[in-house]
Amino acid sequence: MKNIKQTDVEIYDIIKSELKRQRNTLELIASENFASYSVIESTGSILTNKYAEGYPGKRYYGGCESVDMAEDLARDRLKELFNAEYANVQPHSGSQANMGVFNVFLNHMDTVMGLDLAHGGHLTHGSKVNFSGNMYNFISYSVLEETGRVNFDEVWEKAKKYKPKLIICGGSAYPRFVEFEKFKEVADSIGAHLMGDVAHPSGLIAAGVHPSPWPYCDVITSTTHKTLRGPRGGMILLGKDFENPWNKIAPKSGRIKMVSELLDSSIMPGIQGGPLMHVIAAKAVAFKEALTDEFKEYSKQIVRNAKAIADEMLKLDYKLISGGTDTHLILVDLSDIGVSGKMAENKLEDAGITVNKNMVPFDKKSPMITSGIRIGTPAVTTRGMKEKDMTKIAKFIDQVLKNPSDEQNIRKIKHEVNEFCASFPIYEDL
Ligand code: DSN
């Protein structure tokens, strides 16, 4: 960072301050991770200079030989990683990936079903404050209050009643395996397509520690920066490409034969222009890393760590949605201890522990306050922490949440958290 230090000391100081935060605090946000130096170098490379609208071999700009190779590598590695026939690595984010799929599988105001945001879904699964809720007729399904798991009676009932063209499974705060097979049965019964939004568990799926979406989902979307530990971005995959069942027409090129072609044109030129080639190269790097045995072991450890935090929190009498986890995240309902999600997030942050407030199913509080927090283990696992360390983290959390007004205690815990983090160094060369 020698240049930025000279030319823009304000941003230099901000990056340094964020580096200090990442090194000295416990990062428990379930959707975050620490990318490798190689991923960071690629993201910060001169590939950012290149315009490459189009796809490899079919660009609207000259000089794309090198970036074509990067995108080909990213797509090939991603297909290998997920055993998929088609991959698009251009979506700038998970939201763009979802928009790209909706564009193909739905028409304006078509009916589609997704998990309610307050029950673990995602903003792009029909929230009224999001494009999805305005452009499509979303019907939400929920989880059962007693089990915290998807209410399949409701899914069946609503699917039969509303006949959605597309059903979305997966979300951002669902601690259990996504039930691809059960959703497929519902989708088949009404002739709907099934989309898996696997942004959260995609790394676990790649490593084989979460069930595969194939052969159940017609299409999956994901981000690349959560359990997959790549750069910030999105992706779309088809297990098997299939013929365009809607007779959809692409402007200029007429009827398109395969769904893969529709998806490509939906992303570019449909909703994006120039792809972020530096990020696509970094995705390729991350996919190579994810193909290793080390990544498989890392993913197993993520889950063991999440289970270890869950077990300790249960011992400490916390209520966990669904009673535990199968994945990298747990959702804690704090209603019984009289601390809101917002307060918990703030107090934990004061103690050097980063989590996010989160709605719990049937929450009586607003999304800005909430009754819960979401805790995830991808980032702490990258630092090398194991089960015994998770037990310690659960105890830190408990000491803060049981005494949220005791500022002296919070300062003491912050000091302990700092020391604890120092024994798991991260980004020492930066
Ligand atoms: N905001 C992401 C998360 O935290 O899960 C989802 O987009």
Side-chain angles (χ1 to χ4, degrees), residues 29-32 95 122-123 171-173 199-200 223 225-226 356 374:
I29 292 184
S31 47
E32 295 187 13
S95 294
H122 186 252
L123 205 58
S172 52
H200 267 266
T223 49
H225 49 270
K226 298 183 173 96
N356 64 282
R374 188 182 63 163

Side-chain angles (χ1 to χ4, degrees), residues 113-116 119-120 139-160 167-170 174 176-177 179 182-183 186 321-322 361-362:
M113 264 171 70
L115 180 58
D116 191 320
H119 287 240
I139 306 291
S140 296
Y141 57 85
S142 43
V143 299
L144 280 164
E145 195 156 10
E146 313 80 66
T147 63
R149 301 193 186 225
V150 170
N151 181 346
F152 276 95
D153 288 341
E154 184 194 11
V155 173
W156 275 102
E157 192 189 309
K158 288 188 169 167
K160 288 211 152 87
I167 298 179
I168 304 172
C169 55
Y174 191 63
R176 296 298 177 173
F177 288 150
E179 304 88 341
K182 285 188 175 178
F183 279 104
V186 182
I321 300 302
S322 86
F362 308 96

Side-chain angles (χ1 to χ4, degrees), residues 80-385:
E80 184 183 347
L81 191 56
F82 282 85
N83 194 19
E85 222 168 79
Y86 161 85
N88 189 311
V89 293
Q90 291 198 5
H92 302 329
S93 71
S95 294
Q96 313 272 107
N98 287 353
M99 189 183 231
V101 169
F102 297 165
N103 232 354
V104 171
F105 283 72
L106 300 168
N107 292 314
H108 187 222
M109 290 324 278
D110 269 352
T111 301
V112 46
M113 264 171 70
L115 180 58
D116 191 320
L117 178 59
H119 287 240
H122 186 252
L123 205 58
T124 54
H125 300 180
S127 165
K128 286 291 169 215
V129 295
N130 182 259
F131 80 90
S132 55
N134 291 313
M135 288 179 62
Y136 304 103
N137 175 34
F138 260 89
I139 306 291
S140 296
Y141 57 85
S142 43
V143 299
L144 280 164
E145 195 156 10
E146 313 80 66
T147 63
R149 301 193 186 225
V150 170
N151 181 346
F152 276 95
D153 288 341
E154 184 194 11
V155 173
W156 275 102
E157 192 189 309
K158 288 188 169 167
K160 288 211 152 87
K161 182 166 173 195
Y162 297 106
K163 301 269 186 314
K165 284 198 174 162
L166 182 70
I167 298 179
I168 304 172
C169 55
S172 52
Y174 191 63
R176 296 298 177 173
F177 288 150
V178 184
E179 304 88 341
F180 301 118
E181 195 171 350
K182 285 188 175 178
F183 279 104
K184 170 72 171 162
E185 243 184 275
V186 182
D188 277 353
S189 77
I190 53 161
H193 285 111
L194 182 62
M195 165 182 157
D197 180 340
V198 297
H200 267 266
S202 55
L204 307 181
I205 292 170
V209 300
H210 182 294
S212 168
W214 318 132
Y216 311 110
C217 292
D218 296 292
V219 60
I220 63 170
T221 59
S222 179
T223 49
T224 46
H225 49 270
K226 298 183 173 96
T227 48
L228 209 42
R229 206 166 56 180
R232 192 156 291 276
M235 65 195 213
I236 304 174
L237 293 167
L238 295 173
K240 291 257 176 283
D241 198 2
F242 54 102
E243 282 201 23
N244 167 10
W246 311 279
N247 281 323
K248 282 204 174 177
I249 307 278
K252 299 218 169 106
S253 43
R255 185 178 185 278
I256 283 189
K257 195 154 179 275
M258 303 303 287
V259 170
S260 56
E261 296 169 78
L262 286 172
L263 287 168
D264 275 353
S265 73
S266 171
I267 291 296
M268 206 311 292
I271 57 175
Q272 290 185 179
L276 310 176
M277 294 316 304
H278 53 308
V279 175
I280 288 175
K283 286 175 182 173
V285 171
F287 301 151
K288 183 174 180 180
E289 291 171 1
L291 281 161
T292 60
D293 289 340
E294 183 274 332
F295 188 83
K296 287 190 180 70
E297 185 43 46
Y298 160 67
S299 303
K300 285 183 196 158
Q301 190 63 49
I302 289 179
V303 177
R304 288 196 290 264
N305 282 352
K307 285 181 190 292
I309 294 202
D311 288 348
E312 189 62 25
M313 298 284 295
L314 288 170
K315 270 191 218 151
L316 293 164
D317 272 346
Y318 286 87
K319 184 176 165 199
L320 305 186
I321 300 302
S322 86
T325 183
D326 297 327
T327 63
H328 61 299
L329 73 86
I330 64 174
L331 190 56
V332 190
D333 183 348
L334 300 171
S335 318
D336 292 347
I337 65 162
V339 178
S340 70
K342 182 180 177 190
M343 187 188 215
E345 179 186 301
N346 289 340
K347 295 293 174 180
L348 287 168
E349 186 163 357
D350 291 345
I353 301 169
T354 317
V355 301
N356 64 282
K357 60 178 169 292
N358 213 99
M359 300 281 277
V360 295
F362 308 96
D363 209 321
K364 293 186 182 64
K365 295 196 167 78
S366 76
M368 288 309 291
I369 307 291
T370 81
S371 300
I373 51 170
R374 188 182 63 163
I375 298 177
T377 53
V380 286
T381 307
T382 296
R383 289 187 87 144
M385 295 180 190

